[in-house]
Each structure stands twice: as C-alpha cells, then as structure tokens.
Amino acid sequence: MDYQFKDIEQKWQQFWAENQTFKAEDKTTKPKYYVLDMFPYPSGAGLHVGHPLGYIASDIFSRYKRLKGFNVLHPMGYDSFGLPAEQYAIQTGQHPAITTEANIATYRRQLDQLGFSFDWSREVRTSEAGYYKWTQWIFMQLFNSWYNKAADKAEAIDKLVEHFEQNGSAGIDAVCDEEILSFTADEWKALSNEAQQAELLKYRLTYLRESTVNWCPALGTVLANDEVKDGFSERGGFPVEQKKMMQWSMRITAYADRLLKGLDTIDWPEPLKEMQRNWIGKSVGALVRFAVEDKSEFIEVFTTRADTIFGTTFLVLAPEHELVASLTTPGQKEAIDNYIAQAKKKSELERMADAKTVSGAFTGSYAVNPLNGEKIQIWIADYVLAGYGTGAVMAVPSGDQRDYLFAKQYLLPIIPIIDIQNIEKEADPTKEGHYINSGFINGLTYKEATAAVVAKLEELGAGKAKVNFRMRDAIFGRQRYWGEPVPVYFKDGLPQLIAEADLPLVLPEVDKYLPTEDGEPPLARAKGWNYNGLEYELSTMPGWAGSSWYWFRYMDAQNDTAFASPEAIAYWRDVDLYIGGSEHATGHLLYSRFWNKFLKDIGKTAEEEPFKKLINQGMIQGRSNFVFRMIDEVGRATNTFVSHGLIKDYRVSPLHVDVNIVENDVLDINKFKQFRSDFADAEFILENGKYVCGVEIEKMSKSKYNVVNPDVLVERYGADTLRMYEMFLGPLEQSKPWNTNGIEGVFKFLRKFWRLFHDDAWKFNVSDAEPSKAELKSLHKIIRKVEEDVERFSFNTSVSSFMIAVNELTDLKSNKRAILQDMVIILSPYAPHICEELWTMLGNPAGHTLLYSIP
RNA sequence: GCUCAGAUGGUGGAACUGGUAGACACGCAGGACUUAAAAUCCUGUUCCCGUAAACGGAGUGCGGGUUCGAUUCCCGCUCUGAGUACCA
C-alpha cells in the first residue's frame, strides 16, 4: 500500500493514548530527564503554525532521550488565567471558565494531532482550584517569611519575632522597607498587636504597601513593570499612568544578588542572561549625604563615581522628591511650582521623546559638599528619576554628559578633575589619568581615589559604600476577576492570612466582570463572600503567579497534601531542558527563578536554579501575499489585478490576499474569485500565464490574512511531514518567516522512505539478506550524524541527513531488514507515526520507545 | 544612544575545531511516461565569458589585516532584527 499517513497517524495516536505509552515513571532506576515547554495561554484563536515549533523540538529531544534509556518527564498544561478570557467575559457575560474550557479543548485537539509524547496524566491548569490552592499556599509562605541578609536566605517570620522579643531590632540585617522602627525588646513587647503587625509587614516577602504603580485605566488594573512597554500596556496597547495605591508586592529585590549570580551557573542563551542582568541592574557605588545650608535637612545621593565628588558643582533632585517643597525658597516658589506642574503633565512618552531638551528650576537653597565645604545650588529637573537610587544626584558636569548639558544651559560651573580630561565640547567620563582640583585625592588614580573618598565619607559619617539595583519589587495585585484570589482577609485594617486548612480560597461567582460603581475590583460584587464576617482582599494575583512554580506541579500533579511530594522533588529536582520564547526574559523567567530560590530556602525544593538549560525557539513570522489592484485615471479602484512582475507599468494599490489560496506565490485565481464576493468577476493581467503575488514579512495575524493553521497542513500532508518540515525550516533559535513552499519536499522524503520497504506494486517487501558495505556505510553515517545533531539541537541538519541517507539507500535499492530497522529507530523521534507503523510491520511489538534503544 | 544577534544563489538554508563554498530542499528550465493533465521519474540550475562542453575568470554585506590557505580569526564600516533607554 502507498503511504497512508491519515490512517497510520490516527491509529498510533490512539494506541499511545490508550496504553499511556509516554507516562513517566516515578519509581525507577533509570536516570531522569525533564524536558519542559513553556505552557500556553489557551487563546480563542487556537494554534497557528508558529506555536508548535518549540513543542516539536522538545518532543524530538524527549523521544531521543527515551531511546537513550532515560526516564523522561515531558508534560504539558495550560496557563489558563488571563486577561483575554476576562475581556471576552465582560463583552458577552460568558463566564471565563467556560470559554477557557472550550479553548483548552481546541488546543488539546490540535496538540494531539501532532503526535506529541506528552504525559497527559500530569496535565495542569493554573485556573483550577486544585492547582491554585498551591499558588495561594506559596503566597502564604512568602507572607510568613523575611529575608535575613546575614544568612543570605529567607527565614520564617516567627524567627524574626523571636529576635525582636529577645533583642529588639538590634542585630537584624534584613531586606525590608526603608522606614523601619528601631526598638528594644521591651519597646517591642509594649507595642500593640496592630503596631507589631504593621511593623512586620515591612519585612514580609509579600507585603502590602502604598506604592507608585502602573495604572492602566482602560484595563482597570495595575500592571507590573515588565507588562508595560513604552508607556503602554503590553496586552491591548492601552496608555498607562503612574498612580499611588495600596498594593500587594513581592520582595523580589531581596534575591537580586542571587538572581544575578545564578546566571553564571546556568546554560542559557547569552542574550537572555544579558537581558536579566540589565533588568536587575546592579551598580556598585556610594551614598553621599549633602547637608543643606542653614537647614537641618540633608540630601542623600547615590553615585557610582564617588571619586568625582570634587567636581560636583550642583545637586539635582527629581521633581517628585519629598524635600522639594521644604527646600524651595519663597522667591523661587513660583518657578518651582510651574516646573513641577509642567513635568507632571508630560506623559512618560513625551518625557522620553524630549530626552535631549534640558529643563529644570532652581530651588533657591544651597547644599554643602561634605569633603570641601563648597556651597552649591540645589536644582530640580526631570532628567533625574524619582524611582531610581535616592531620587537625587550630585551633578558632576565635567564627567557626566547630562550634567554637562544642564550646566551649559543654566550657566553653572564646570570643573575639570582629571589631568587628561577634555571637556571643551562634552563631558569626559574617563577613569584614566590623575586627579586635579580634588583636595586630598589630587594625583591619585581612579582606583585609589574611589577607595580614599569612600573611606573619608565613612569617617565623616557623610556617606558609605552602597550597591544599588535597578530592579524594583514586583507589584502582585490585579484589580481583575480571572485570577487567583489572594488568601487574605482584613482585621482592623491589617491583612491576615486565612487558615491553611481553608485553602483553596475559591474564586467566587459575580454578576458582572467589571469593577463596582465606586471603583472596587470585580470581586467586591461577590455576594456573601467573606471570612467569618471579615472582608477578603479583593484584588487577584497577576498572570505570572501560576506560572512561577508550575514545573514542580508536573512532578506530582495529583497531590492533595503538598504542591509536590518531597520524594517526587528529590527525584525530578529541576528542569534539564526548557524550550520557549525569549519574550519571557524579564517576566516569567525571573519570577520563576525567584520563587524557586524561595522554595529552596524554606526547605521545600532541591535546587538553586529551576531550569538548567534553556533554549529560545525563534519567532515564526507571517509571510503575507499581496495582489495589486489597478487604479484608473481618476484614481478609482478597478476590478483588474496586475501580476507582481508587471506592476511598474501600472498604477496599482496592494491588497492583502489570504496566503491559503496562494501557492509558491502564484495565486489560485478561481479561489480568489470566491475569496470576496466583489472579486467574483475580477480580471487579471498575467505574466507567463500566471498571477504572481507580492510578498512581505509581517507579524502573523488574522487581519493580514497570513495565518497558516497546522490543521490544514496535517490534513494534507500528515503530522510527521509537518513535524519534520518545521524542523527543516532552519535553526531552531532563529526567527524566520513561515513559508509553506517546500513542505512537498519533506512529504516526498517520507514517501520515499516508505517505499524502501515496498516493491513497485506497493507490497511490503523486506529482505533478510546480509547488507552490503555501501549500505552499512550509509547507515552508520546517518546514525552518527543524527546523534551529533540532536545533542546540539541542530534539528534542521539532521532532516537533511535523513534525506541524503534515504536517497543513497534508494539508489542502492536497499530493502535489508538489518539496515531499515535501525533507520526506523533513529527516525522515530522526528516522524514517530510512520516509524511506529513500519516498526510493527517489521514484526516488532508496538510502543517501541519503551523497549528499544538507539543502535 | 547603549547591549546582543545576524548578513552565503531566485528562496529556506548547509559547510560543527581555518582546508574542494553553495549539502539538503523549494523554485525554475528541459526531458521521460500520458490522448492530455496531475502524480511520478530523469537531467540541469551561484554569477560572468563561451553556440554547447572542456576550460577560464569572479564570488559568502563593504574596506583592510593575520595565514600556505578565511564564510570561519582580528580591526574598521554599512545594513537588518531583537532588547533597553535620561539608572547618576
């Protein structure tokens, strides 16, 4: 029989499902290997051809590892809380759980037809109570913990309380809020319970605090920094503004240093590590205190160039700085007020747009340089950011270009401080040379000077060495419905955890998915929803909560007494290979590392890093096709279409055309006439009897008619062909446009492979004769090549090698069992259905992934 | 601006540690089979010169360098993509 991919694929998919062929074992002496894909958000649009790329690669690798004798965990699930289902619910009144369920069904069908070897018995869905019970549980552990810098790990909050009771606040080195109380043991004990709780909140790893947040009015919720791009929400593209709100946050900054250091221990793409390094933004420098002249106040600045302190000719505060009002003299009040009003009006975007225009205002006050007693002016300017460092800088115009421009604009002095500095046209931030005009560090080099200045500042009590991070604590609350409820209620205005026995705190029903009239989150609509009469927290957790620990749940997905059993965690430990997109660099991947480290600190997990090796699969872009509609003399669109090669001779306007009615850039004219009713009587100006379309690379999207659905390709060529074609397209990590041209080549290859086992009449015909030298040579070449390729994730080259091998064996008219049986095994990770079929036709038992190993 | 990645035929790409550039596939051209088409098979296909072949010349974004030898290593530049953006 000819190659009947449809029957073969259906048959084996059913067999694998019924026999749970790919179920990972929990008790085995085999070495473990954990292959993880980034689980999808099940959107309404279903999968397009770009989504499975990473899944195919991970599936090939998983199947390969099984052949190599590993006990492979290769699970799949759904990140099923999220905004689109909720937006849809707002529009239609349909409960998000219902649309989510329907979308998951579509995803599952699409995934199944590709023949993935997922262990579905371990499926997780973040929106199910059985799962989010443990997301809430982790939240509670974070609430019950503080970060002990001395031990460099998270510890139980009870230990902190114990310390307070015995020693007061002395001897505690914690990551905490800035305004903490200093007290003795007796003073602590004398505090009311409320006061104690309020104080502890400043230490907890998840805490409630008034903070400036990214508020998105259109979405009606706050967003985390990584969910905002250029002043607009990442989802939906709505404007985002800054607003002060009481908010739940995660003290991820406690882990900043460990998150940074850990990067050196993991096998991740360098650009991704670089992105995380930049996001964490560690900078080593010093805090310097400048006293304000004739006032008791002082201004603290952060600088990475303490050595340049003698070049400081003014101070600049952010317009939002808390001391601005008190520093402003009566004479300068109007100027300052005007400036602040003006700065406030500017949106984030405008502020970035005029990065080059310099503006600011003088407060009228003066500060004193702690090292030389110089009196310098205090200004405000929006080039200083309130959110970074202390919101104030010491301006050294000779060394910093921003300060330089500012000094030029407002005629402030510029003092050179290094002998080789050239400051005629711009600032010179050099670290070479020796210091001048710099008091006691004159003549020293950069290294010596920095150390000397910091030592002197410490001696004078005017400063100290300080490491600063750009990363902020992560805002954790969302004023939305479709997310995990926060397991907290309020008593006397203070947050309290609900009892662990009351988990999960189930998402209540509401009449509408919108905020209430007085602006409270949707959960305020829930009738009778309270904790023994006390009010629950009304915000829900952000999208990244559920995905920050899901790889642990796969280890033991059904467990009802722990997020995963200690035995399961001790065996599976961490993810050996993680495949997914680089768009999660500063969100999911950072939060996951954070939670992983926390869970290790509290003794629940085994490894410091969750994902040993990570590969970014490239984005599959859309490849749009265009037709060219002729424009007549008066500028009206006609119903005549000009082939691409001829458009220079006509006036035309390009029009997207559905890529599914175009093959190799040639338009199917009949299908085009049915594409839209007004094209029914379209006319064409052809070249060589064909209508050739234009091409452009764009994002894959419905509106551009360039979405290619895998269902269509599976229907036409089968899953094995699609799997191999996606790999054949190019290196996994590289972004590339999808182009269905060429899939025929892979299909032909599989058919040719099939034919090796059959005679001219398509009758199964395999010989038991001894293979020739040439045949053995081909076989050994391909085995070696494919092993090398898989180990370095070069799947595209192994597909080529398979083609070469099959071409060679076809030329040799080889039909020897000794050759073909091994070919089946090495090809099986790539094209599992056809291989399983041929494997059984050769007389072997089915389900060979468990039984056989690589030759 | 800064950081990172990349640039090879008509197209996707290969050449892994410096050793025959263009594997494999698509497309295209020609041919076989067919009444015809599809499917299938065969041949050719980097460019230039040459009727064709042998042969000759050029060639991996551009300009230099190291080397017996460079797509590969080094320096400078151009362009494309991604990330980031007044971070003191």
Side-chain angles (χ1 to χ4, degrees):
Chain A
M1 244 205 305
D2 198 350
Y3 170 39
Q4 301 289 340
F5 59 85
K6 238 178 248 179
D7 300 341
I8 294 173
E9 293 182 357
Q10 253 173 30
K11 170 174 155 193
W12 289 109
Q13 282 165 16
Q14 203 181 337
F15 177 91
W16 295 328
E18 280 167 5
N19 292 280
Q20 301 210 24
T21 306
F22 305 112
K23 200 169 154 78
E25 299 161 66
D26 284 317
K27 288 200 177 74
T28 170
T29 52
K30 285 186 191 172
K32 70 104 184 182
Y33 201 89
Y34 189 170
V35 181
L36 183 65
D37 292 289
M38 289 186 184
F39 64 165
Y41 173 79
S43 82
L47 291 175
H48 69 59
V49 101
H51 294 116
L53 183 76
Y55 304 157
I56 294 169
S58 66
D59 196 60
I60 290 171
F61 202 77
S62 300
R63 287 174 177 269
Y64 170 81
K65 278 288 177 184
R66 288 193 194 98
L67 291 177
K68 281 281 189 183
F70 286 86
N71 180 31
V72 173
L73 176 54
H74 187 216
M76 184 47 82
Y78 306 96
D79 191 11
S80 45
F81 271 134
L83 280 181
E86 181 162 354
Q87 294 294 76
Y88 188 76
I90 290 169
Q91 286 160 21
T92 63
Q94 177 101 275
H95 195 289
I98 296 169
T99 40
T100 301
E101 185 72 36
N103 292 347
I104 286 178
T106 305
Y107 266 64
R108 179 63 190 271
R109 182 185 58 73
Q110 290 191 296
L111 291 170
D112 278 348
Q113 69 180 3
L114 289 171
F116 291 128
S117 63
F118 294 129
D119 178 353
W120 284 108
S121 71
R122 296 166 186 265
E123 181 196 291
V124 303
R125 299 179 183 189
T126 56
S127 62
E128 277 189 353
Y131 180 90
Y132 69 68
K133 169 181 177 178
W134 298 106
T135 310
Q136 292 170 333
W137 181 85
I138 294 170
F139 175 95
M140 292 171 77
Q141 310 311 307
L142 283 155
F143 186 83
N144 278 332
S145 302
W146 65 292
Y147 200 88
N148 184 349
K149 277 203 233 175
D152 202 18
K153 60 183 278 204
E155 290 180 353
I157 200 89
D158 295 345
K159 264 184 95 172
L160 183 67
V161 173
E162 214 170 277
H163 182 99
F164 285 167
E165 283 170 354
Q166 281 164 18
N167 310 301
S169 58
I172 285 293
D173 190 8
V175 179
C176 55
D177 287 9
E178 263 151 47
E179 307 86 29
I180 46 163
L181 303 174
S182 202
F183 45 79
T184 64
D186 290 337
E187 283 167 342
W188 170 258
K189 285 182 219 150
L191 290 175
S192 68
N193 182 46
E194 288 83 62
Q196 286 182 344
Q197 288 305 318
E199 188 63 17
L200 287 177
L201 207 47
K202 299 176 187 168
Y203 291 84
R204 297 180 188 276
L205 288 183
T206 178
Y207 60 94
L208 197 56
R209 180 170 77 183
E210 165 122 307
S211 33
T212 311
V213 297
N214 303 303
W215 174 254
C216 180
L219 292 173
T221 187
V222 303
L223 298 170
N225 287 341
D226 66 280
E227 294 168 315
V228 182
K229 290 254 150 27
D230 299 331
F232 291 91
S233 66
E234 198 178 27
R235 282 204 189 250
F238 303 111
V240 172
E241 54 194 51
Q242 303 297 305
K243 191 175 165 183
K244 282 219 166 202
M245 277 178 82
M246 220 34 180
Q247 273 305 319
W248 284 100
S249 289
M250 288 274 167
R251 221 178 284 279
I252 187 173
T253 49
Y255 286 86
D257 235 345
R258 276 166 68 186
L259 289 168
L260 192 63
K261 276 195 216 125
L263 290 174
D264 298 331
T265 68
I266 49 183
D267 184 6
W268 286 19
E270 201 46 49
L272 197 97
K273 289 194 196 181
E274 198 59 27
M275 269 194 248
Q276 291 210 346
R277 283 190 196 106
N278 290 339
W279 187 263
I280 295 166
K282 180 178 185 171
S283 49
V284 178
L287 281 177
V288 184
R289 273 177 174 219
F290 285 77
V292 179
E293 192 190 44
D294 303 329
K295 293 215 170 84
S296 59
E297 282 132 347
F298 58 86
I299 294 165
E300 198 158 54
V301 303
F302 175 74
T303 178
T304 53
R305 292 295 302 272
D307 58 299
T308 63
I309 187 163
F310 289 97
T312 308
T313 54
F314 52 100
L315 295 188
V316 190
L317 311 189
E320 300 89 343
H321 196 282
E322 52 186 358
L323 292 179
V324 170
S326 64
L327 291 175
T328 303
T329 58
Q332 290 296 317
K333 188 162 183 347
E334 204 186 330
I336 291 285
D337 287 350
N338 283 343
Y339 185 73
I340 292 175
Q342 192 194 321
K344 247 197 200 138
K345 256 196 296 183
K346 270 201 240 175
S347 72
E348 190 81 358
L349 217 65
E350 285 165 332
R351 201 168 140 157
M352 281 193 285
D354 24 272
K356 275 173 201 105
T357 42
V358 179
S359 67
F362 179 44
T363 60
S365 289
Y366 292 82
V368 179
N369 186 325
L371 292 193
N372 61 8
E374 293 276 338
K375 192 173 122 177
I376 53 178
Q377 298 187 348
I378 303 172
W379 286 67
I380 65 169
D382 64 4
Y383 82 84
V384 175
L385 304 176
Y388 183 76
T390 61
V393 303
M394 56 179 225
V396 184
S398 57
D400 184 287
Q401 185 60 16
R402 293 157 302 178
D403 299 341
Y404 186 88
L405 292 174
F406 197 82
K408 284 280 182 202
Q409 171 94 13
Y410 295 105
L411 303 175
L412 293 156
I414 302 173
I415 306 173
I417 43 160
I418 299 179
D419 51 3
I420 62 161
Q421 216 168 18
N422 176 2
I423 55 168
E424 261 166 53
K425 288 208 188 69
E426 54 186 10
D428 182 355
T430 184
K431 294 174 181 174
E432 309 290 314
H434 300 267
Y435 290 82
I436 54 172
N437 301 324
S438 292
F440 68 93
I441 59 168
N442 276 339
L444 299 186
T445 61
Y446 169 73
K447 258 198 153 156
E448 297 160 348
T450 304
V453 167
V454 172
K456 188 77 176 173
L457 288 170
E458 281 178 1
E459 182 191 323
L460 297 172
K464 59 178 182 201
K466 157 104 184 170
V467 174
N468 208 35
F469 291 95
R470 194 179 80 104
M471 184 169 67
R472 301 269 70 102
D473 279 345
I475 304 288
F476 197 70
R478 297 290 182 275
Q479 290 62 47
R480 304 288 301 200
Y481 176 74
W482 192 230
E484 300 87 346
V486 175
V488 160
Y489 65 96
F490 287 88
K491 197 176 162 197
D492 305 321
L494 284 166
Q496 313 278 339
L497 292 180
I498 67 171
E500 214 173 292
D502 293 326
L503 288 178
L505 173 57
V506 176
L507 190 61
E509 296 297 319
V510 292
D511 57 344
K512 269 197 248 171
Y513 304 99
L514 288 168
T516 64
E517 277 67 39
D518 32 338
E520 290 216 90
L523 288 189
R525 294 176 177 274
K527 299 228 162 47
W529 193 59
N530 58 55
Y531 194 68
N532 306 325
L534 294 164
E535 197 194 339
Y536 278 122
E537 167 63 44
L538 297 176
S539 59
T540 52
M541 298 189 197
W544 53 269
S547 60
S548 294
W549 69 279
Y550 74 111
W551 65 96
F552 288 122
R553 191 61 178 167
Y554 286 134
M555 295 175 185
D556 190 11
Q558 314 301 332
N559 197 322
D560 198 34
T561 57
F563 67 91
S565 73
E567 297 77 39
I569 290 168
Y571 177 69
W572 292 109
R573 306 186 79 81
D574 55 3
V575 174
D576 294 282
L577 175 66
Y578 196 17
I579 296 186
S582 61
E583 65 272 21
H584 298 106
T586 51
H588 162 63
L589 288 172
L590 206 54
Y591 297 130
S592 294
R593 295 180 59 222
F594 161 38
W595 281 29
N596 183 79
K597 285 174 195 298
F598 169 71
L599 289 171
K600 177 171 184 258
D601 283 355
I602 63 169
K604 297 292 179 188
T605 65
E607 299 286 342
E608 176 76 10
E609 289 290 339
F611 315 124
K612 263 204 282 258
K613 179 172 179 68
L614 184 139
I615 292 181
N616 287 131
Q617 93 264 23
M619 273 253 292
I620 297 279
Q621 295 141 314
R623 188 177 187 277
S624 307
N625 277 119
F626 292 86
V627 291
F628 302 92
R629 185 193 277 249
M630 201 155 87
I631 307 289
D632 67 12
E633 310 77 51
V634 289
R636 273 178 323 201
T638 65
N639 217 3
T640 301
F641 295 87
V642 184
S643 184
H644 181 246
L646 307 170
I647 55 172
K648 54 186 176 305
D649 303 328
Y650 299 87
R651 242 182 99 194
V652 295
S653 89
L655 206 65
H656 275 101
V657 60
D658 192 335
V659 293
N660 294 298
I661 61 169
V662 176
E663 206 168 332
N664 287 323
D665 297 332
V666 176
L667 183 68
D668 185 324
I669 287 174
N670 287 326
K671 284 187 186 156
F672 180 71
K673 287 182 173 173
Q674 295 156 20
F675 176 48
R676 257 166 56 180
S677 56
D678 53 321
F679 295 156
D681 49 359
E683 297 189 18
F684 303 90
I685 298 177
L686 307 177
E687 50 183 316
N688 307 324
K690 286 180 284 198
Y691 189 96
V692 180
C693 297
V695 174
E696 216 168 288
I697 306 305
E698 301 177 289
K699 226 184 120 143
M700 206 175 264
S701 103
K702 259 188 186 163
S703 64
K704 298 188 168 77
Y705 295 105
N706 61 5
V707 175
V708 181
N709 188 318
D711 299 14
V712 176
L713 297 174
V714 168
E715 172 69 23
R716 198 154 150 204
Y717 300 103
D720 285 337
T721 296
L722 180 60
R723 287 167 65 106
M724 291 196 83
Y725 183 60
E726 292 224 6
M727 293 298 102
F728 188 56
L729 221 45
L732 180 62
E733 296 94 329
Q734 201 169 299
S735 286
K736 57 229 154 195
W738 176 265
N739 188 348
T740 308
N741 300 352
I743 194 169
E744 294 270 356
V746 173
F747 182 69
K748 275 193 236 169
F749 154 76
L750 283 178
R751 213 162 154 245
K752 216 165 166 182
F753 181 60
W754 179 261
R755 218 164 45 181
L756 283 175
F757 297 74
H758 295 81
D759 61 21
D760 293 344
W762 291 108
K763 205 169 159 288
F764 185 74
N765 179 16
V766 169
S767 122
D768 284 316
E770 281 293 304
S772 70
K773 253 195 167 153
E775 287 169 314
L776 283 170
K777 198 179 158 201
S778 271
L779 177 68
H780 292 145
K781 200 169 69 184
I782 181 72
I783 291 173
R784 221 183 68 212
K785 172 76 173 149
V786 170
E787 286 203 53
E788 274 170 21
D789 285 350
V790 174
E791 297 283 354
R792 64 191 171 103
F793 305 96
S794 175
F795 301 108
N796 56 324
T797 51
S798 33
V799 177
S800 311
S801 309
F802 280 126
M803 289 174 172
I804 294 169
V806 167
N807 287 345
E808 284 173 359
L809 293 175
T810 301
D811 289 345
L812 293 166
K813 303 200 185 334
S814 175
N815 69 337
K816 313 273 168 58
R817 170 183 304 272
I819 301 293
L820 297 183
Q821 179 145 316
D822 283 352
M823 282 292 291
V824 167
I825 293 168
I826 45 164
L827 182 63
S828 66
Y830 292 78
H833 308 89
I834 189 175
C835 288
E836 192 89 88
E837 179 72 12
L838 290 168
W839 177 256
T840 47
M841 285 167 81
L842 286 165
N844 302 296
H848 71 266
T849 53
L850 300 175
L851 302 168
Y852 213 81
S853 55
I854 274 199

